[in-house]
Amino acid sequence: MAESEEIINAVFEDWAVNLDGTIEELTSQILMGAHGVIPDPEKSEDAEIKLQRLIRRELTSMMFGYCVTINGGSASAETGMVHLVDENGTDHTRLGLHSAFLGYLDSTGRPTV
């Protein structure tokens, strides 16, 4: 059985890989004009960097909000809470999941803003 920290880091890595893939895919689609946005070909490198930062910031913020909800820091906690408990019985619900996720992104070299 894996240790609780190893389990939560595996979950964070899954989330981070999905985040990275979504950022790459959205950036690619937008820069290719798939959504009606026609980038300036003379500024494509600059546009790609700015677009990736924008998408990363917004999606990371959304995921941070999900973690806050799991931690009981949103209005839904007044109704009830879903608990994030690993196979060892460790309850990660109120362990600062939102901060831990941002810390994981930082520690793996992924920008959070």
Side-chain angles (χ1 to χ4, degrees):
M1 189 178 310
E3 295 294 319
S4 293
E5 183 176 350
E6 185 181 358
I7 294 168
I8 199 68
N9 282 340
V11 170
F12 287 162
E13 182 61 18
D14 283 345
W15 291 355
V17 166
N18 285 323
L19 177 64
D20 293 341
T22 301
I23 291 165
E24 287 177 26
E25 183 61 26
L26 284 173
T27 300
S28 174
Q29 287 180 22
I30 291 169
L31 290 177
M32 295 177 98
H35 300 282
V37 176
I38 303 171
D40 182 345
E42 294 179 19
K43 297 180 181 178
S44 63
E45 237 179 85
D46 187 45
E48 183 174 355
I49 291 167
K50 288 180 180 178
L51 186 56
Q52 283 184 343
R53 281 187 194 144
L54 170 67
I55 294 170
R56 180 170 293 279
R57 183 186 73 215
E58 295 305 313
L59 291 179
T60 301
S61 176
M62 179 184 71
M63 294 176 79
F64 180 86
Y66 291 159
C67 289
V68 168
T69 298
I70 293 170
N71 283 167
S74 68
S76 65
E78 294 175 18
T79 303
M81 290 183 54
V82 173
H83 289 264
L84 183 62
V85 180
D86 68 28
E87 63 187 20
N88 297 319
T90 300
D91 187 345
H92 296 275
T93 306
R94 294 197 183 264
L95 297 178
L97 194 64
H98 55 290
S99 297
F101 180 58
L102 292 183
Y104 182 83
L105 292 177
D106 283 337
S107 73
T108 57
R110 295 171 170 105
T112 55
V113 291

